[in-house]
Amino acid sequence: MTKIVVLDAETLAVPPSQWDRLRAFGECAFFQNTPHDDSALITERCQNAQVVLTNKVPLSADVLNALPRLACVCVLATGYNVIDTRLAREKGICLCNVPAYGTDCVVQHTLALLLELTNRVAAHSESVHQGDWTRSGKFWYQLAPIHELAGKTAGIVGFGTIGRKVGAVLHAMGMRILADARTRRDAPDWPDFAWASADEIFARGDVVSLHCPLTEQTQGLVNAARLASMKPGALLINTARGPLVDE
């Protein structure tokens, strides 16, 4: 019988009955959480498994080498940088992920972050509640100028499903769109859309939004040189992976 291991079931926050459907495919072992930095425990829990399901628990080279029966790893998310994909490929381990489940959520969150940077809603709310507007004696009140997005340039690094939809929303708000992608295909029929290199995007964008996967090529994508090339006052948003930015 196939042995299936779920390493961090709690991260999905689904009813137990949903996991019961997995039992039809084999013997299942469910762990609500597994420490990310305990390779020995990860290996122990995955021993003799043919299939491992993980959301954020990493399967490093040491772990994969210690699991000779492993045939399939299912990442319960879009990003798959928690897996040593090169070694998995060499070992013939099938890798699966869920590429589009969070598109609308990430687009909405990207827009929320952008509008917070331009309109500073939280800071204004706190200031008004503290009585600053009343004490100012003015009919209008603002902590800082509100930056309108219409007519400005948004650069999107990573133009897959999420990046493309972010671009559609920002274009609808009147922004010009520059985009960079590993594979440039099906350019949208938007006025003022253009493909551009990452360097061009950082140099020209009033807003730069990251929507690319974390790979050896993209780690540290945002470095000192690219930050120095940005316009004064330009905005950088990262809703992809933290290590894209060299902090």
Side-chain angles (χ1 to χ4, degrees):
M1 178 179 290
T2 301
K3 180 179 179 181
I4 303 169
V5 173
V6 181
L7 287 172
D8 48 358
E10 187 178 71
T11 60
L12 264 65
V14 298
S17 58
Q18 293 292 325
W19 290 114
D20 288 343
R21 299 167 64 184
L22 197 61
R23 300 183 194 279
F25 297 95
E27 174 191 351
C28 298
F30 295 95
F31 300 98
Q32 293 302 307
N33 286 292
T34 301
H36 294 193
D37 56 354
D38 193 339
S39 295
L41 181 59
I42 296 170
T43 302
E44 177 185 331
R45 289 182 170 182
C46 295
Q47 275 301 312
N48 299 316
Q50 285 89 23
V51 180
V52 171
L53 279 64
T54 179
N55 188 346
K56 298 295 184 286
V57 178
L59 297 183
S60 64
D62 289 342
V63 173
L64 294 179
N65 281 325
L67 303 174
R69 299 187 65 193
L70 185 61
C72 179
V73 175
C74 300
V75 180
L76 304 174
T78 302
Y80 49 83
N81 55 285
V82 293
I83 311 299
D84 187 322
T85 55
R86 180 181 300 174
L87 181 60
R89 190 180 301 113
E90 291 175 1
K91 288 180 167 292
I93 298 171
C94 176
L95 299 180
C96 307
N97 68 335
V98 190
Y101 78 98
T103 299
D104 291 335
C105 179
V106 176
V107 172
Q108 180 175 323
H109 187 55
T110 301
L111 189 62
L113 293 176
L114 177 56
L115 294 180
E116 177 58 32
L117 291 174
T118 57
N119 292 46
R120 300 185 63 191
V121 175
H124 278 93
S125 177
E126 182 179 357
S127 178
V128 169
H129 277 83
Q130 290 174 350
D132 295 336
W133 190 1
T134 302
R135 286 190 293 272
S136 74
K138 297 178 180 178
F139 174 76
W140 58 271
Y141 175 74
Q142 61 181 19
L143 294 173
I146 293 176
H147 301 282
E148 292 190 5
L149 295 171
K152 291 187 168 61
T153 299
I156 300 174
V157 182
F159 207 59
T161 303
I162 294 175
R164 189 174 290 260
K165 194 157 189 178
V166 168
V169 172
L170 297 183
H171 176 260
M173 297 177 70
M175 299 193 75
R176 297 182 291 269
I177 306 298
L178 300 176
D180 183 27
R182 287 180 297 182
T183 303
R184 297 181 178 183
R185 59 175 178 266
D186 302 327
D189 186 20
W190 305 333
D192 297 322
F193 171 85
W195 296 111
S197 68
D199 286 338
E200 290 175 308
I201 284 173
F202 278 88
R204 295 171 55 190
D206 298 292
V207 175
V208 176
S209 192
L210 307 182
H211 299 286
C212 50
L214 177 62
T215 65
E216 292 180 359
Q217 291 71 38
T218 61
Q219 184 165 350
L221 170 78
V222 182
N223 52 32
R226 285 200 168 118
L227 289 175
S229 75
M230 296 179 77
K231 300 177 181 179
L235 305 176
L236 173 64
I237 297 175
N238 180 17
T239 54
R241 287 290 183 265
L244 294 174
V245 180
D246 183 345
E247 295 183 357

